[in-house]
């Protein structure tokens, strides 16, 4: 594991989260390092200071579905507060530095700072809403519909047009929508042929609103 490197907390905009992050142990993880494993018991929350991670779930056959991606100023592993098992795995997509906050540290800070507790609850509610939307999308839409929703949600301000805010490979997109890479590749090719998207230097740009069907 790489040695800890000097970091700045400016990426964290919320003052309360910055304060708790400054109390944690700073660790830098290499790219493609699993920092949380689904099914394990955990007692640590991670505040991302730099880098990017993906949150995913997988089955015994190795099939994955990406639940979300997070970058600087985001937290992962908050549910360690309930002493339950990890509900998903987290993998670094690039060199990533985190502040590690133990369950005991979180409990003390929450008790002393009720506003932080409200902030944490609000974040968990938002993520629950996202999870519910993901379940609906996977259950009710076909692959084209799921891909259209993901591409739209990744445009600036979710306006439906522009360069995707995340650098997503076709493999990552296929994992996000729960489909094969070949299927996603064919749909992207058709969208490019229709003038809806352009792929340049591994960046996807939505040129005009993608029709839902």
């Amino acid at each position: 594991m790489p040695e800890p490197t000097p970091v700045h907390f400016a990426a964290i905009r919320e003052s309360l989260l910055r304060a708790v992050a400054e109390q944690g142990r700073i660790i830098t993880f290499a790219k493609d390092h699993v920092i949380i494993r689904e099914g394990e018991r955990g007692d640590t929350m991670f505040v991302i200071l730099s880098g990017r991670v993906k949150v995913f779930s997988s089955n015994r056959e190795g099939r994955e579905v990406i639940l979300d991606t997070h970058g600087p100023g985001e937290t992962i592993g908050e549910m360690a507060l309930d002493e339950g098992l990890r509900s998903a795995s987290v993998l670094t997509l690039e060199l990533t530095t985190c502040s590690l906050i133990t369950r005991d540290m979180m409990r003390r800070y929450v008790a002393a700072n009720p506003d932080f507790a409200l902030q944490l609850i609000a974040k968990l509610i938002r993520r629950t809403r996202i999870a519910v939307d993901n379940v609906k999308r996977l259950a009710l839409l076909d692959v084209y519909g799921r891909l259209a929703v993901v591409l739209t949600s990744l445009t600036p301000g979710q306006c439906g047009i522009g360069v995707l805010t995340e650098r997503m490979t076709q493999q990552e997109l296929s994992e996000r929508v729960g489909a094969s890479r070949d299927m996603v590749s064919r749909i992207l090719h058709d969208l490019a042929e229709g003038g809806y998207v352009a792929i340049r230097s591994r960046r996807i740009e939505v040129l005009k609103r993608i029709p839902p069907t």
Side-chain angles (χ1 to χ4, degrees):
M1 184 178 296
E3 292 295 323
T5 56
V7 296
H8 299 285
F9 292 85
I12 305 176
R13 284 173 287 183
E14 300 94 338
S15 60
L16 290 171
L17 181 57
R18 186 185 305 115
V20 72
E22 289 173 345
Q23 300 179 39
R25 181 163 59 101
I26 308 302
I27 294 185
T28 297
F29 300 97
K31 179 182 177 183
D32 295 327
H33 182 83
V34 177
I35 60 179
I36 292 178
R37 291 188 183 276
E38 183 177 1
E40 290 185 346
R41 195 170 300 279
D43 65 350
T44 306
M45 178 180 81
F46 299 75
V47 182
I48 303 172
L49 303 176
S50 65
R52 194 164 66 97
V53 305
K54 73 173 181 179
V55 183
F56 69 97
S57 184
S58 59
N59 60 16
R60 292 181 179 178
E61 288 72 40
R63 184 179 178 184
E64 290 184 5
V65 58
I66 296 179
L67 305 175
D68 213 339
T69 57
H70 298 302
E74 292 286 342
T75 59
I76 50 177
E78 305 94 330
M79 288 191 291
L81 274 172
D82 75 351
E83 303 184 22
L85 302 180
R86 299 290 195 185
S87 59
S89 298
V90 177
L91 176 81
T92 58
L93 298 174
E94 56 190 61
L95 191 70
T96 299
T97 299
C98 298
S99 173
L100 277 60
I101 312 298
T102 66
R103 182 188 299 123
D104 289 341
M105 290 172 62
M106 279 193 288
R107 285 175 171 169
R108 288 196 299 269
Y109 195 78
V110 165
N113 299 273
D115 286 346
F116 177 73
L118 292 174
Q119 180 178 299
L120 190 60
I121 290 170
K123 183 184 291 289
L124 292 173
I125 289 173
R126 287 195 299 272
R127 290 195 177 168
T128 300
R129 292 186 189 279
I130 291 172
V132 171
D133 287 342
N134 285 340
V135 170
K136 289 179 180 178
R137 185 173 71 238
L138 289 171
L140 302 177
L141 297 177
D142 59 13
V143 176
Y144 174 89
R146 299 200 296 268
L147 182 60
V149 169
V150 168
L151 292 176
T152 298
S153 69
L154 291 175
T155 56
Q158 299 186 357
C159 66
I161 298 175
V163 178
L164 300 194
T165 55
E166 296 181 23
R167 191 183 292 272
M168 298 284 290
T169 66
Q170 292 187 18
Q171 180 61 40
E172 289 172 333
L173 280 173
S174 68
E175 292 169 357
R176 182 73 71 93
V177 302
S180 70
R181 185 183 181 281
D182 288 343
M183 175 66 76
V184 169
S185 179
R186 287 197 296 271
I187 295 173
L188 285 175
H189 179 269
D190 291 342
L191 290 173
E193 287 287 311
Y196 291 99
V197 304
I199 304 175
R200 307 183 185 94
S201 301
R202 297 183 63 189
R203 295 305 298 264
I204 300 176
E205 180 178 4
V206 180
L207 304 175
K208 57 184 179 181
R209 291 187 180 277
I210 299 173
T213 56

